Amino acid sequence: MSLTAPSTRNLITDYYDVIASAVDQCGAVPGGPAGTPGFAPGFDLPELTPAVREYYAAATASWTQLGEYGGHNLQLLDLTANPGTQTTKTFASMVIVARAVEYVRRTGTRLCIFTPTSGNKGVALRDSVARAYAAGLVTPEQLSIVVLAPQSTRHKFRHDALAADPRSRQVNPLLRYTGSDPEGVKALGRAFVDEYAATMHDKHAVTLWYTLDLKNYLVADAARAAFEADVAPASAARPRWHAHAVSSAFGLLGYNLGRDVLEAAGRASPADRPGFLLVQHLGTPDMVLSLRHGSFERDNCPAYTLDEGVGAWTQDKDTHFPAVTDDPAEVLDPTFYTHRPMTSPAMNALIERHGGDGIVVSRRECAQRYPVARDWLANAGLELPADPERLREWSIVMALTGVCNAIDRGLVPAGHDIVVHGTGSYSNDFAVADADAEVSTVDDVVAAVWNKW
């Protein structure tokens, strides 16, 4: 594949106005008052002083022309440049923490972010809090974070700046959930905040902010659309799909919000809004099932047969699912852990309106594509390890595999370009963080955090 030089922007500082407009466009408002389970600060962001710009400095993204595959022009939106996260979660996390900083500085409130996560969001929020400390925007006594993650994603958490400093580590604990269902972190986190928000506020003067709300993420991802409009605007004469490895598709919904903002301002035309290709794995193919069948029921997955000759499970009935896999229920990457996502109806409606499809990939298919994907990404300035066994985050490889499979299987209409959202890629070249406590109940969480302040 050929390559042109990438275009690079800071998706936050270069598009502060777009993020502000996205807040208005989606009707985002503050939550309940401090000390209530529904507390959320407003969406005001700090003024872009030198210190705030230093804080945002890692929020860069690049756009690269990858070349051509199967008659389709491929482009890469690389969202992995922050070395502290190497995922797209950087952007929303920085905006969330910036909102917290603005609220703390305006009100004098001691604020604690509480977030359940499959992994990458928690890593990025911790990185953002550490960056806020380093830039002198807040102190550990003013702003902290509790991250609750399943044990299945232990390998995704790096020994970061919060863990390295004893005082920061004390007030920013990493909790590992030991329950059998990784998605149980959401229910446990919600239950803790519901039960203890008032007590934490009254006893410790700490306001809890449970950040698992869609609009917290949409407003930052709206900047993706503004970046596209600046460097590679869509054209009705050359239709375009955006491909994204998804669990709940927050990133694509945020991009779509950005298109709403641009079209309302006359900076883009509704006639050239792209369609979407959802890429998932067999562990949670829920969005593809919902799109294709109107239901999350796994009965709609194709039946696989063990092929002794191949040494794997195979099927040839549904081109939207892997032709070959080592396990029909394979968890390719535990980042993608959401069942029955509440975002499916919205994505289904967008695809019905603007075009698109969904496809599920297997690890074996990703491994087959890996050498070519590695070469493509190297040309775009993104290095994958030579040995795929060293890869800890499969998002980009999943997306590229899904695109190539969809093209090979005739799922992408002729004449359509594809933008691949490079949302995550990192290998095993960092030390894994130790959890500060293992928890499975609300009482466990209380015991782990109660005396931190």
Side-chain angles (χ1 to χ4, degrees):
M1 283 192 165
S2 62
L3 177 74
T4 58
S7 299
T8 301
R9 298 286 190 279
N10 185 299
L11 285 197
I12 298 179
T13 58
D14 288 346
Y15 301 110
Y16 232 37
D17 61 330
V18 173
I19 293 170
S21 295
V23 170
D24 295 336
Q25 183 76 35
C26 71
V29 296
T36 65
F39 166 80
F43 282 78
D44 293 335
L45 296 174
E47 179 185 350
L48 287 176
T49 63
V52 172
R53 288 184 180 275
E54 176 189 347
Y55 163 72
Y56 285 137
T60 58
S62 64
W63 193 289
T64 305
Q65 297 285 339
L66 286 179
E68 182 271 341
Y69 180 80
H72 299 268
N73 181 48
L74 303 188
Q75 303 172 61
L76 176 70
L77 170 56
D78 181 10
L79 300 162
T80 68
N82 179 5
T85 69
Q86 296 170 286
T87 74
T88 186
K89 298 301 184 183
T90 288
F91 308 100
S93 297
M94 281 192 168
V95 169
I96 287 170
V97 171
R99 289 169 54 199
V101 166
E102 180 67 11
Y103 181 83
V104 166
R105 294 166 75 178
R106 187 177 72 250
T107 67
T109 301
R110 180 185 291 182
L111 187 58
C112 177
I113 296 169
F114 192 104
T115 186
T117 176
S118 64
N120 292 334
K121 180 169 72 260
V123 170
L125 282 167
R126 285 175 59 88
D127 177 74
S128 296
V129 170
R131 292 186 63 83
Y133 293 166
L137 302 182
V138 284
T139 68
E141 287 68 39
Q142 294 174 303
L143 177 65
S144 57
I145 182 169
V146 176
V147 169
L148 174 63
Q151 55 187 348
S152 59
T153 58
R154 174 187 180 276
H155 61 291
K156 291 183 175 286
F157 285 88
R158 57 196 74 200
H159 185 76
D160 56 16
L162 296 187
D165 177 77
R167 176 55 182 154
S168 292
R169 181 166 187 169
Q170 179 184 352
V171 297
N172 295 286
L174 172 59
L175 309 184
R176 184 167 298 134
Y177 177 64
T178 59
S180 58
D181 177 12
E183 204 174 356
V185 295
K186 296 177 183 177
L188 178 57
R190 182 72 268 175
F192 168 73
V193 173
D194 285 349
E195 189 170 345
Y196 281 92
T199 306
M200 291 290 287
H201 187 260
D202 294 343
K203 298 289 187 183
H204 295 288
V206 172
T207 295
L208 293 177
W209 178 18
Y210 184 82
T211 61
L212 204 63
D213 180 86
L214 177 60
K215 290 178 181 177
N216 291 337
Y217 298 89
L218 295 187
V219 295
D221 287 331
R224 299 187 195 184
F227 184 25
E228 176 186 39
D230 274 356
V231 302
S235 166
R238 184 76 183 183
R240 178 179 292 180
W241 282 8
H242 281 243
H244 202 305
V246 300
S247 184
S248 298
F250 282 11
L252 289 181
L253 290 169
Y255 166 84
N256 187 71
L257 174 61
R259 286 289 310 208
D260 289 342
V261 168
L262 296 179
E263 290 172 15
R267 295 168 60 184
S269 168
D272 60 30
R273 189 178 299 211
F276 304 102
L277 178 66
L278 309 177
V279 182
Q280 296 200 281
H281 68 157
L282 285 161
T284 50
D286 296 48
M287 295 198 79
V288 174
L289 288 173
S290 175
L291 176 67
R292 300 295 306 169
H293 302 284
S295 167
F296 295 122
E297 297 305 319
R298 290 192 70 106
D299 290 349
N300 291 311
C301 293
Y304 283 85
T305 302
L306 182 60
D307 187 326
E308 299 288 355
V310 176
W313 296 81
T314 62
Q315 66 88 24
D316 59 5
K317 304 298 184 185
D318 191 339
T319 55
H320 296 85
F321 277 77
V324 59
T325 180
D326 294 316
D327 179 358
E330 173 185 72
V331 177
L332 171 55
D333 192 313
T335 296
F336 305 98
Y337 74 150
T338 301
H339 293 90
R340 301 178 175 270
M342 63 178 181
T343 50
S344 270
M347 277 309 310
N348 293 350
L350 287 173
I351 290 173
E352 181 179 0
R353 186 178 311 130
H354 303 295
D357 211 330
I359 193 165
V360 182
V361 299
S362 69
R363 186 186 183 99
R364 186 175 279 236
E365 289 176 334
C366 289
Q368 291 168 348
R369 301 280 187 186
Y370 191 83
V372 174
R374 184 169 181 259
D375 287 344
W376 292 351
L377 294 173
N379 288 336
L382 201 159
E383 185 177 352
L384 296 182
D387 181 2
E389 293 301 317
R390 292 184 55 214
L391 204 61
R392 291 186 185 179
E393 170 59 48
W394 285 81
S395 296
I396 289 182
V397 176
M398 283 176 61
L400 282 170
T401 300
V403 166
C404 292
N405 285 357
I407 291 172
D408 288 348
R409 297 171 191 175
L411 303 181
V412 183
H416 279 56
D417 296 343
I418 298 181
V419 176
V420 180
H421 289 235
T423 56
S425 181
Y426 48 84
S427 58
N428 62 353
D429 55 358
F430 57 80
V432 173
D434 293 324
D436 295 293
E438 294 189 339
V439 301
S440 62
T441 67
V442 169
D443 287 345
D444 292 340
V445 176
V446 173
V449 306
W450 192 249
N451 293 316
K452 294 298 184 182
W453 296 274

